[in-house]
Amino acid sequence: MSGTSNLYLIRHGDRYNWLDEEWSKKVVTCGGLANDSPLSPIGSQMARDTAVLLKDVKADCILASPYLRAIQTAVPIAEQKDMPIFVEDGLSEAHHIPDLLPDAMKRYIYFPHIDIEYQSLYIPTATDGHWHVDDTFRKPKERFPDGYMERMLRFSKVLEEYVAGKTVICVSHAASVILIAALLKCDLEKIPSDKNCEKNERTDLFAPVGVYHVKKQNGSSWELVSNGSTNNHVTQSDPTTSIWGFG
């Protein structure tokens, strides 16, 4: 096993419900979930662009949040590398509602890239007394932001052990920038910049398909290699595509 650990954290691409504001209403009438938007056409292109960006990365595995948009973003990377996708509940979106989304076996019906034998490293739980603002779900959710932040801090420790000596690609959501701060052991606003960050701009943001890359030598601390606040590698974008950050 190599003494070097590499973690690539990628935000999903542009969401379809940003393109079509009526989608969230229509999908509920079809029995679907309004919080589980697929990628837009631009988001799909962003995912393909990201697979090209990472083509020379010799990954050991690919982990993706169980949300559809994250799985779809992971597919071109998995196909480019001829690797399976591990659905990791620890990477779930903020405001997560446990036991709401289709599980890995149901996702496999449409995404044969998924390894149905994989067991999540971390299972998020709902916070007592906290319900999703959309009453169509009628289920308790994880409290945000503090509940989510607590989860990311706990998950970072589990993930760090899992990544030891490996190169792991994770596809998640904008708020998971917390995971980078947790690994670097710094405040969000202290996440280092890279050459693509504009001077005097925030460095704790997460662009759609932005790529945070952190690296660690055996026995040393994590160091930032690339900052995901920008996505200069994409060939298409859209004004509705937001670069997100806390606050």
Side-chain angles (χ1 to χ4, degrees), residues 162-182:
Y162 181 78
V163 174
K166 294 185 285 193
T167 295
V168 177
I169 295 172
C170 296
V171 183
S172 189
H173 306 266
S176 66
V177 66
I178 284 284
L179 189 58
I180 298 300

Side-chain angles (χ1 to χ4, degrees), residues 100-130:
L100 179 70
L101 297 173
D103 61 19
M105 293 187 71
K106 290 186 175 66
R107 294 292 199 200
Y108 178 80
I109 297 170
Y110 302 103
F111 297 98
H113 317 75
I114 290 173
D115 183 341
I116 59 174
E117 301 298 325
Y118 175 79
Q119 298 294 313
S120 279
L121 302 172
Y122 190 91
I123 305 296
T125 57
T127 306
D128 289 343
H130 286 263

Side-chain angles (χ1 to χ4, degrees), residues 20 42 86 137 160 175 182 191 200:
D20 181 357
I42 286 177
F86 296 161
F137 298 126
E160 186 169 21
I191 293 176
N200 300 324

Side-chain angles (χ1 to χ4, degrees), residues 55-76:
K55 63 182 173 55
D56 294 326
V57 173
K58 292 178 170 52
D60 292 290
C61 59
I62 301 167
L63 276 57
S65 156
Y67 286 77
L68 179 57
R69 52 193 177 273
I71 294 171
Q72 287 181 305
T73 301
V75 164

Side-chain angles (χ1 to χ4, degrees), residues 87-101:
V87 175
E88 174 52 55
D89 292 297
L91 293 169
S92 295
E93 174 71 288
H95 305 283
H96 181 63
I97 302 173
D99 302 319
L100 179 70
L101 297 173

